[in-house]
Amino acid sequence: MMGVEYRHFFVVDQENWHPEQDTFERVNKVLGSWGLNDELLEIVDLTSGKQSRTTDASIPKGLAGKVFKFAGPSGGTVARLAGPSFHDCEDEERYLSEILVIVGEDYRIQWSCEGLFFELLEAPTIAYQDEEPYGTAYAESFPSTNTTAPKVKLHVEDYAKEHLASTECKGYWRAAVIFDFGKDLPTFADEIRSLPNREFVEALRNALRAQSIIEIGEFY
């Protein structure tokens, strides 16, 4: 597993979901209750596919959205959320590289990875490609019309099916929270890629006021 890293997505799998004025505030409160937001590194405005750093944390209705990048926690916090590590190490050695929170109105096609390919069958409007995709949080974004949605087909390799908690997902989202574990591979990533701490996932779903959250894990 030398050089292999792992990233875990929590995405709102709901066509009619839209952010509210306090969405980020609610999500940030959940992150804080688990010790996950001690250091906000930057906020990136994604309006019209053009990325710019900002200090404004509000999410007005109709905007493309924003990315909130937090420094990842370390130690027992990670172990409580993710369970044991694939590596033989103490809890004090555990870490998350970073945490991203993405909230907005635009449709974002889920990033494809080994074993999972998200095929865009039909775009809602003319697409724009971000000038330099922010991290690897998404591959392509589409302005939201609030009336139509992309059509995406998920192709799953046979060997990857055993790692999915659900094969039913829309393949696009308007909001996501992403845990980047870096090289600290959690053992659940080698099984069904669903975070062991279900209390956190349910709190996140409630904060987003989402009917459903889908989890997608990827090695990179």
Side-chain angles (χ1 to χ4, degrees), residues 145-156:
T145 65
N146 294 334
T147 56
T148 63
K151 290 184 179 179
V152 181
K153 182 177 181 180
L154 171 58
H155 300 270
V156 185

Side-chain angles (χ1 to χ4, degrees), residues 10-161:
F10 307 89
V11 304
V12 176
D13 189 59
Q14 183 179 330
E15 181 177 344
N16 63 353
W17 186 91
H18 297 280
E20 300 176 13
Q21 194 167 25
D22 66 343
T23 296
F24 172 69
E25 180 181 342
R26 290 168 59 87
V27 171
N28 197 34
K29 185 175 180 179
V30 171
L31 296 179
S33 69
W34 290 91
L36 300 173
N37 63 351
D38 289 348
E39 184 180 2
L40 177 60
L41 299 176
E42 61 181 349
I43 304 173
V44 181
D45 189 346
L46 300 172
T47 303
S48 300
K50 308 297 183 182
Q51 301 175 32
S52 61
R53 274 55 181 171
T54 179
T55 57
D56 181 7
S58 63
I59 309 287
K61 188 173 178 59
L63 290 186
K66 290 176 181 175
V67 177
F68 300 84
K69 180 179 179 180
F70 294 93
S74 58
T77 297
V78 179
R80 283 191 295 274
L81 284 167
S85 173
F86 180 86
H87 304 291
D88 184 15
C89 63
E90 301 294 330
D91 286 354
E92 290 73 18
E93 301 175 71
R94 304 295 304 282
Y95 72 93
L96 280 168
S97 284
E98 64 182 22
I99 295 172
L100 298 180
V101 178
I102 303 175
V103 182
E105 288 281 348
D106 281 5
Y107 297 110
R108 303 194 181 279
I109 307 305
Q110 175 64 32
W111 189 259
S112 294
C113 60
E114 184 179 356
L116 302 177
F117 174 64
F118 293 86
E119 178 188 7
L120 179 62
L121 300 178
E122 184 178 324
T125 54
I126 297 175
Y128 61 73
Q129 178 74 39
D130 290 283
E131 290 182 332
E132 46 178 337
Y134 188 82
T136 49
Y138 52 83
E140 202 170 14
S141 57
F142 296 84
S144 170
T145 65
N146 294 334
T147 56
T148 63
K151 290 184 179 179
V152 181
K153 182 177 181 180
L154 171 58
H155 300 270
V156 185
E157 297 288 346
D158 287 343
Y159 70 86
K161 291 178 181 177

